[in-house]
């Protein structure tokens, strides 16, 4: 399994890029898992409180799992460490694990920039493979000036997939 993190600050285009790449990879016949950091404060949106699953969860279940119709929902009453979250995300043994966020964690990263100020605070991140945005940035080996250059972005990802490094055992 290859793992790639897509990082940047709010409204930098992380979700848009991740969604695009999911479609690209699926069209190439690859299986894709995604792990997303909910960085907006508080809990992510929860299912309808009247469901059985939420009743169990609200009653204090440490884990509430519901399966049916070819899908599974897992609710945990605690937030596991990053490594454990990657194991959960990789449960289906995907070819590719895309991680949105978790910029301070180890791993190969694509960094999206809104402006030069973002680069000042993100340039020291570990594992940067590609920087997207902020055309005035020149001190990087792999840089695409705009997230609008979708052909370049897709080509970069497909080249990255072909590289031998980046494989990870979870």
């Amino acid at each position: 399994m290859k793992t790639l993190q897509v990082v940047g600050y709010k409204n930098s285009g992380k979700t848009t890029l991740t969604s695009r790449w999911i479609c690209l990879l699926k069209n190439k016949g690859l299986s894709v898992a995604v792990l997303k950091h909910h960085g907006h404060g508080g809990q992510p949106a929860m299912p309808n409180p009247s469901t059985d699953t939420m009743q169990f969860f609200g009653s204090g279940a440490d884990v509430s799992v519901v399966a049916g119709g070819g899908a599974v929902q897992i609710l945990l009453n605690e937030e596991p460490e990053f490594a454990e979250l990657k194991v959960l995300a990789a449960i289906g043994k995907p070819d590719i694990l895309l991680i949105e966020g978790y910029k301070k964690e180890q791993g190969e990263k694509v960094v999206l920039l809104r402006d030069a100020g973002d680069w000042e605070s993100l340039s020291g991140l570990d594992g940067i493979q590609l920087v997207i945005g902020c055309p005035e940035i020149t001190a990087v080996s792999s840089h695409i000036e705009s997230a609008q250059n979708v052909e370049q972005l897709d080509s970069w990802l497909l080249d990255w997939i072909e590289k031998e490094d980046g494989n990870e055992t979870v």
Side-chain angles (χ1 to χ4, degrees), residues 37-109:
H37 180 248
H38 180 70
H40 305 290
Q43 292 184 340
M46 293 296 205
N48 182 319
S50 67
T51 63
D52 293 350
T53 303
M54 282 305 290
Q55 287 183 37
F56 302 147
F57 194 66
S59 295
D62 296 309
V63 180
S64 182
V65 179
V66 62
V72 175
Q73 270 184 346
I74 301 173
L75 296 174
L76 304 175
N77 246 333
E78 65 177 75
E79 187 173 341
E81 296 292 322
F82 180 66
E84 294 170 310
L85 289 169
K86 289 193 323 185
V87 169
L88 277 173
I91 199 164
K93 297 181 178 38
D95 298 311
I96 308 290
L97 172 59
L98 295 175
I99 300 172
E100 184 180 318
Y102 293 99
K103 63 179 76 72
K104 293 192 171 60
E105 298 292 343
Q106 296 277 348
E108 294 188 357
K109 295 176 182 67

Side-chain angles (χ1 to χ4, degrees), residues 138-154:
T138 57
V140 295
S141 60
S142 190
H143 182 224
I144 296 175
E145 292 184 3
S146 169
Q148 303 306 312
N149 295 335
V150 293
E151 289 177 6
Q152 281 184 297
L153 293 170
D154 292 352

Side-chain angles (χ1 to χ4, degrees), residues 22-31 95 154 158 161:
I22 292 167
C23 291
L24 173 70
L25 296 169
K26 292 300 292 180
N27 286 334
K28 295 289 183 184
L30 298 168
S31 59
D95 298 311
D154 292 352
L158 295 174
I161 287 171

